[in-house]
Amino acid sequence: MIILEDKGVKATFNPQRGLNLMSLIIEGHELIEQSTQKEFLESSRGLGPLIGPHFHHRVIDTIPYLDDGILDKLATKLQFRREAEPFSHGIARYVPWKVTRQQKNSFHAILDSHDTIEGITLGEIEGFDFVMEFEATVSNRELKIVYKAKSTSQPVVVGLHTYYALDHSMKTVDLVGAPFYYDKLNKKSVPPEWLGDRGLKIPVDKPLDYTFSPRLDKEGFGEVEIRMGGSILLIQAKASPDLSFQLYRREDSPFICIEPIAAINPRIVTQKNASIEVRISL
């Protein structure tokens, strides 16, 4: 485990399990829904997993064929679902990363498609070449993450899929942005009840799986807010080539995923370089 600490913030990452953000405590508040650890242990979903170098499920005919013997070998080291798309949201969240630098309040790690698991390269699993970098820093009650990917052959995307703990005081995710959203590939106008005086107020009491486009400030950052009693969880991000926030919540789940992603719609990716900087504070 890597534990980063500074004034008012403690972040725990697991570099052997896809750099998962296992815990994020700011001002004594655990922000990660710890009940999702079960899903993390079963299939690398839950807590604070990465997105990349692809989002969700690849098109079936682009997924490399891995026979049962290869999948059996991989299953001795990795936790994934034996489905048509075994590595949902990209191989980055399933495999060990190489930590190149570590200090009390920061670390840097890399992942390369030439890295191997049980003699099988990550490029053979993902279907193309890539290099990824990840850097995390904590300071002054804030976690900052810089996450990048590049490929010489296929489009890539990066993002964070953090499962934030919900409580009764959290009513809406507040976002200043475009008055539309994507429901997968379908672009829709936001319903009138989501329109507030200062932007969108998206209710968290129902299932969500939508993509939103934030308004960017002068420095290129978009942001979302969610109120926690007397505090505000603030997630700021800037990205290249574009930025969106995916909001995901299952029916009656104790979490909400607020996913900053380096794409207008992560299901439509066209660039071979992607990067995102995310700041999480309370």
Side-chain angles (χ1 to χ4, degrees):
M1 294 291 182
I2 294 176
I3 299 176
L4 306 181
E5 293 188 82
D6 199 78
K7 296 178 182 178
V9 58
K10 179 179 179 181
T12 303
F13 292 85
N14 189 338
Q16 293 303 307
R17 292 285 302 272
L19 278 181
N20 191 286
L21 178 57
M22 308 288 288
S23 171
L24 177 58
I25 299 172
I26 301 180
E27 292 296 333
H29 295 279
E30 174 60 79
L31 299 180
I32 308 299
E33 178 50 58
Q34 292 299 305
S35 69
T36 62
Q37 186 169 164
K38 182 176 183 292
E39 290 181 87
F40 165 69
L41 294 173
E42 291 175 348
S43 59
S44 300
R45 310 176 192 206
L47 300 177
L50 302 180
I51 295 169
H54 73 262
F55 176 82
H56 196 51
H57 294 176
R58 293 164 287 182
V59 176
I60 289 295
D61 61 8
T62 69
I63 300 175
Y65 173 72
L66 303 173
D67 64 32
D68 286 341
I70 292 176
L71 291 172
D72 288 342
K73 289 177 67 176
L74 293 175
T76 65
K77 296 293 180 74
L78 309 179
Q79 285 67 43
F80 58 92
R81 293 179 179 174
R82 301 288 282 263
E83 299 175 344
E85 170 56 277
F87 298 104
S88 178
H89 285 305
I91 195 62
R93 67 166 59 186
Y94 298 89
V95 297
W97 283 62
K98 180 181 179 181
V99 178
T100 59
R101 184 181 70 252
Q102 183 177 350
Q103 298 173 300
K104 179 182 178 181
N105 71 332
S106 68
F107 76 92
H108 176 271
I110 59 174
L111 192 70
D112 191 296
S113 57
H114 295 94
D115 297 338
T116 61
I117 297 289
E118 292 294 295
I120 303 158
T121 69
L122 303 189
E124 290 175 292
I125 297 171
E126 185 66 36
F128 58 87
D129 65 294
F130 63 86
V131 177
M132 308 183 81
E133 290 186 73
F134 186 98
E135 185 170 12
T137 306
V138 296
S139 63
N140 297 321
R141 303 185 302 279
E142 178 184 271
L143 169 62
K144 183 175 84 169
I145 290 171
V146 178
Y147 180 27
K148 304 175 182 178
K150 63 180 179 179
S151 172
T152 59
S153 59
Q154 297 294 325
V156 293
V157 68
V158 290
L160 306 180
H161 200 301
T162 314
Y163 289 64
Y164 292 98
L166 281 172
D167 66 40
H168 67 278
S169 67
M170 296 179 175
K171 305 299 184 184
T172 62
V173 173
D174 297 350
L175 165 69
V176 177
F180 64 83
Y181 66 98
Y182 285 97
D183 181 355
K184 298 180 175 58
L185 295 177
N186 299 313
K187 188 175 181 180
K188 300 180 178 180
S189 297
V190 301
E193 59 268 25
W194 291 5
L195 295 173
D197 295 336
R198 300 176 60 185
L200 306 182
K201 301 181 77 67
I202 302 143
V204 300
D205 60 343
K206 295 179 181 179
L208 294 168
D209 191 5
Y210 306 132
T211 306
F212 296 86
S213 297
R215 181 184 300 169
L216 306 182
D217 65 17
K218 294 180 180 179
E219 295 182 346
F221 282 89
E223 64 182 44
V224 299
E225 296 181 351
I226 186 165
R227 295 186 178 276
M228 299 177 55
S231 302
I232 295 177
L233 173 61
L234 177 63
I235 302 166
Q236 300 170 295
K238 68 176 179 179
S240 176
D242 298 292
L243 173 67
S244 64
F245 286 99
Q246 180 85 9
L247 302 184
Y248 173 73
R249 180 175 184 251
R250 294 197 297 260
E251 183 78 38
D252 298 324
S253 67
F255 65 81
I256 182 168
C257 294
I258 301 174
E259 308 166 34
I261 302 175
I264 288 179
N265 186 326
R267 290 177 169 84
I268 307 172
V269 180
T270 61
Q271 302 299 310
K272 296 175 185 177
N273 288 271
S275 65
I276 194 163
E277 177 181 336
V278 181
R279 300 172 182 173
I280 305 167
S281 60
L282 185 65

